[in-house]
Amino acid sequence: MSVNVSVRLEDSLAERLRLRARAAGETLSDRLRRYADEGARRDEHPLITFRDGPAGRRAGLVGGPDVWEVAMWLDDLAPEPDPVAALVEDSILTRAQIDATLRYRAAYPDEIAARIELHRRETADADAP
């Protein structure tokens, strides 16, 4: 379900948003919805940002890799007694970044699981003879 919300924007801001939306092949409404969603997620998860790439828009750590990558590395380290400590020791990631990843993954598990699955499938396809 969705709800209609009326917002007044200054002319210059509305024009900048329209221009960005048009350049991305989006409607102004699509762009505003994405900005609202990502803004709320940033408020809830301060170390998380969003970035574009070949596989689409995705969550990433500020100054670090994509969230799904860190989550996948933690999955791969599951046999370790303390996967988080192992990742901190073997990477440049801080405990705060890993904790931010875990909180974001807990809030959006399907999103992160889908990114990991996509990566694993594409890697398996690339490695297949």
Side-chain angles (χ1 to χ4, degrees):
M1 173 170 248
S2 63
V3 14
N4 242 352
V5 177
S6 178
V7 178
R8 288 198 176 278
L9 302 174
E10 291 182 14
D11 289 341
S12 62
L13 175 57
E15 186 52 36
R16 288 181 12 235
L17 291 170
R18 276 191 198 93
L19 181 63
R20 288 191 169 277
R22 242 188 346 262
E26 297 175 321
T27 67
L28 178 59
S29 292
D30 290 339
R31 178 58 57 129
L32 289 171
R33 268 191 297 278
R34 182 167 65 79
Y35 280 176
D37 181 43
E38 289 179 2
R41 289 180 187 213
R42 281 187 181 112
D43 286 349
E44 296 160 358
H45 304 277
L47 292 179
I48 303 299
T49 190
F50 296 89
R51 52 181 71 113
D52 290 315
R57 194 132 176 103
R58 69 242 185 255
L61 289 167
V62 172
D66 290 350
V67 170
W68 70 266
E69 290 177 295
V70 178
M72 182 180 69
W73 297 333
L74 289 168
D75 291 350
D76 292 346
L77 291 169
E80 296 287 328
D82 186 349
V84 172
L87 187 55
V88 168
E89 185 177 319
D90 293 341
S91 72
I92 60 167
L93 296 173
T94 66
R95 177 68 194 225
Q97 289 174 310
I98 296 171
D99 289 345
T101 294
L102 293 171
R103 284 190 300 275
Y104 188 86
R105 181 187 209 175
Y108 303 99
D110 295 341
E111 172 186 323
I112 300 307
R115 288 278 178 190
I116 292 171
E117 181 180 347
L118 176 64
H119 171 75
R120 292 200 191 279
R121 283 187 184 185
E122 288 178 346
T123 302
D125 289 346
D127 292 341

